[in-house]
Amino acid sequence: MHRLGSVESPVMESSVELQWPTAADERLRADVHRVLHAVAELGGAIGYAVPPNRTETDSWLDHVLMLVGAGDAALVLAVLDDRVVGTGLWRRGPKPIFAHYADVERVTAHPAARGRGIGRLVTAALVDDARKAGIETLTLGVRGNNHGAIELYEQLGFQEWGRLPNVIEVGAKRFDDVRMFLDLGRDPHVLLRGSSPGGPGSSPRRS
C-alpha cells in the first residue's frame, strides 16, 4: 500500500482510511472480491452481468495494478475498521493521443457501508490524484437510472456530455449510458483547437 490517509465525517462512527495499493496480497484480493461481488449482486452497474467470481476479480485487480505500476492508473480503496468497503480507479486513455485523458471506473461502496459518504470520498480522491498526475480531462459513465450517483458527480463538478439511450443491458431491460466529464485544467502552453478547421487531419465540409 502507499499514500495512506484518514477522512472523518460527522455521520461516521469511525474514520475512513483511503489506501492506494501497488501490490495485492491474499487478504486484499479477498476484500476487493467481497466488495465487487456484493455490489454486483444488488444490481450495481460496475461492468458485470452477474456477480463476479474470485477468478474474475483477481484478474481485474492484477490488470489494474499492472497499469498502476506503469503510471497509467491509480486504484483507491476505502477502508473502515480494517476492511475494504469501497473501490475506485482512474485509468489513463491510450497513449500517445489520449495520454492526458482518463476514465473513472468501478466507484463502489459495500452495501453494509452505504450512507457513510464512501462514493464521495473515493471520487473526490480520484479527482485530486488525477490532477496531480497531469490528467487534463476525467470522464465516467453511469447508468441512467442511477440518479443518486449522477447527482453526486454533478456536485463534484462533472457535467453530462452525452448519453446513449437504452444500451446498458440488465437481462431484458435496457438503460441509458450517461457520460460525464470534468475539466482538470492544462498547462498554459497547451493550445485548445476544439473543432476549429485547420491543423493535422483537417478536412473541409463537402456541402
Side-chain angles (χ1 to χ4, degrees), residues 1 7 12 14-19 27-28 30-39 46 76-88 106-122:
M1 297 282 185
V7 182
M12 295 181 187
S14 309
S15 62
V16 173
E17 183 181 71
L18 296 179
Q19 300 182 352
R27 179 170 182 180
L28 180 62
D31 263 7
V32 168
H33 171 73
R34 181 178 59 87
V35 173
L36 297 181
H37 186 278
V39 171
I46 57 172
V76 62
L77 304 176
V79 178
L80 181 66
D81 297 330
D82 206 31
R83 297 296 301 274
V84 175
V85 294
T87 67
R106 297 278 165 89
V107 175
T108 68
H110 192 280
R114 287 181 180 169
R116 295 176 175 268
I118 302 296
R120 180 180 295 275
L121 291 176
V122 165

Side-chain angles (χ1 to χ4, degrees), residues 94-108:
K95 296 176 181 178
I97 302 205
F98 296 107
H100 293 86
Y101 149 85
D103 204 34
V104 172
E105 304 175 10
R106 297 278 165 89
V107 175
T108 68

